[in-house]
Coordinates of all heavy atoms in Angstrom, one line a residue:
T45 N 104.7 95.2 135.3 CA 104.0 95.1 134.0 C 103.4 93.7 134.0 O 103.5 93.0 134.9 CB 105.0 95.4 132.9 OG1 104.3 95.4 131.6 CG2 106.1 94.3 132.8
S46 N 102.7 93.4 132.9 CA 102.1 92.1 132.8 C 101.9 91.7 131.4 O 101.9 92.5 130.4 CB 100.7 92.2 133.4 OG 99.8 93.0 132.6
D47 N 101.9 90.4 131.2 CA 101.7 89.8 129.8 C 100.3 90.4 129.3 O 100.3 90.8 128.1 CB 101.6 88.3 130.0 CG 101.2 87.6 128.7 OD1 101.9 87.8 127.7 OD2 100.2 86.9 128.6
E48 N 99.3 90.5 130.1 CA 98.0 90.9 129.7 C 98.1 92.4 129.1 O 97.6 92.6 128.0 CB 97.1 90.9 130.9 CG 95.6 91.0 130.5 CD 94.8 91.2 131.8 OE1 95.4 91.3 132.9 OE2 93.6 91.2 131.7
W49 N 98.8 93.3 129.8 CA 98.9 94.7 129.3 C 99.7 94.7 128.0 O 99.2 95.3 127.1 CB 99.7 95.5 130.4 CG 99.6 97.0 130.0 CD1 98.7 97.9 130.5 CD2 100.5 97.7 129.1 NE1 99.0 99.1 129.9 CE2 100.0 99.0 129.0 CE3 101.5 97.3 128.3 CZ2 100.6 100.0 128.2 CZ3 102.2 98.3 127.5 CH2 101.7 99.6 127.5
I50 N 100.8 94.0 127.9 CA 101.6 94.0 126.7 C 100.8 93.5 125.5 O 100.8 94.1 124.4 CB 102.9 93.3 126.9 CG1 103.7 93.9 128.1 CG2 103.8 93.4 125.6 CD1 104.9 93.0 128.5
V51 N 100.1 92.4 125.7 CA 99.4 91.7 124.6 C 98.2 92.6 124.2 O 98.1 92.9 123.0 CB 98.9 90.3 125.0 CG1 98.0 89.8 123.9 CG2 100.0 89.4 125.2
E52 N 97.5 93.1 125.2 CA 96.3 93.9 124.8 C 96.7 95.3 124.1 O 96.0 95.7 123.2 CB 95.6 94.2 126.1 CG 94.2 94.8 125.9 CD 93.6 95.2 127.2 OE1 93.5 94.3 128.1 OE2 93.2 96.4 127.4
R53 N 97.7 95.9 124.6 CA 98.1 97.2 124.0 C 98.9 97.1 122.8 O 99.0 98.1 122.0 CB 98.9 98.1 125.1 CG 98.2 98.3 126.4 CD 97.1 99.3 126.2 NE 96.3 99.5 127.4 CZ 95.9 100.6 127.9 NH1 96.2 101.8 127.2 NH2 95.3 100.7 129.0
T54 N 99.6 96.0 122.5 CA 100.6 96.0 121.4 C 100.5 94.7 120.5 O 100.9 94.8 119.4 CB 102.1 96.0 121.9 OG1 102.3 94.7 122.6 CG2 102.3 97.1 122.9
G55 N 100.0 93.6 121.1 CA 100.0 92.4 120.3 C 101.3 91.6 120.5 O 101.5 90.5 120.0
I56 N 102.3 92.1 121.3 CA 103.6 91.5 121.4 C 103.5 90.4 122.5 O 102.9 90.6 123.6 CB 104.7 92.5 121.8 CG1 104.9 93.5 120.7 CG2 106.0 91.8 122.1 CD1 105.7 94.8 121.1
R57 N 104.0 89.2 122.2 CA 104.1 88.1 123.1 C 105.5 87.7 123.5 O 105.8 87.1 124.5 CB 103.4 86.9 122.6 CG 101.9 87.1 122.4 CD 101.1 85.9 121.9 NE 99.7 86.2 121.7 CZ 98.8 86.2 122.6 NH1 99.1 85.8 123.8 NH2 97.5 86.6 122.4
A58 N 106.4 88.0 122.6 CA 107.9 87.7 122.8 C 108.7 88.5 121.9 O 108.2 89.1 121.0 CB 108.1 86.2 122.5
R59 N 110.0 88.5 122.2 CA 111.0 89.2 121.4 C 112.3 88.5 121.6 O 112.5 87.7 122.5 CB 111.2 90.7 121.8 CG 111.9 91.0 123.1 CD 111.1 90.7 124.4 NE 109.9 91.6 124.5 CZ 108.8 91.2 125.0 NH1 108.6 89.9 125.3 NH2 107.7 92.0 125.1

Side-chain angles (χ1 to χ4, degrees):
T45 185
S46 66
D47 174 57
E48 196 186 6
W49 189 95
I50 301 169
V51 172
E52 194 186 302
R53 302 288 176 135
T54 70
I56 297 167
R57 294 180 184 276
R59 74 286 294 140

